[in-house]
Amino acid sequence: MELSIKEQLMADMKTAMKAKEEGRLALGVIRMARAHIRQAEIDDGHADFDDDQVLAVLRKEVKQRKETLAEIKDSGRDDLVEETQKENAVLEKYL
């Protein structure tokens, strides 16, 4: 049986916690994604989202990061550009 996206996020979050320093970025991104999914569920009347709805939330997060990335590049903040690209890479694993 294949895990749902929410279950996969939980499993990856546990793995990132165990990885300590190496998993810190992934852990932060996964926690943020889970928080956004939960907030969307609450906004939708405490519904339990299926994979399609979760994917919609994750796509929105990736889109926001890409828009932010363009703004950051224009401002010359190379450190933030790299971090934002890494965050996007973590999220895109689930799309």
Side-chain angles (χ1 to χ4, degrees):
M1 185 179 114
E2 192 172 315
L3 296 175
S4 73
I5 295 172
K6 285 180 11 178
E7 292 169 336
Q8 186 63 49
L9 282 167
M10 277 299 295
D12 290 350
M13 188 172 86
K14 290 175 186 174
T15 303
M17 281 189 231
K18 291 175 184 173
K20 305 253 190 259
E21 192 62 37
E22 303 83 42
R24 212 175 82 205
L25 175 76
L27 180 60
V29 173
I30 292 169
R31 281 182 172 158
M32 177 278 317
R34 290 189 66 240
H36 284 277
I37 292 165
R38 185 69 190 128
Q39 186 60 49
E41 288 175 336
I42 291 170
D43 292 345
D44 197 42
H46 294 278
D48 194 19
F49 278 13
D50 61 19
D51 279 353
D52 291 336
Q53 293 165 308
V54 170
L55 280 174
V57 173
L58 293 177
R59 281 190 200 103
K60 182 178 174 186
E61 289 302 310
V62 169
K63 182 182 175 193
Q64 285 179 340
R65 279 188 169 60
K66 286 182 179 178
E67 291 169 356
T68 302
L69 193 58
E71 293 173 15
I72 294 171
K73 284 181 181 178
D74 291 341
S75 69
R77 295 285 311 267
D78 293 335
D79 56 327
L80 291 177
V81 168
E82 185 177 337
E83 185 176 331
T84 304
Q85 288 172 333
K86 288 179 182 176
E87 290 174 356
N88 248 357
V90 171
L91 287 175
E92 287 175 349
K93 285 190 333 185
Y94 302 101
L95 299 181

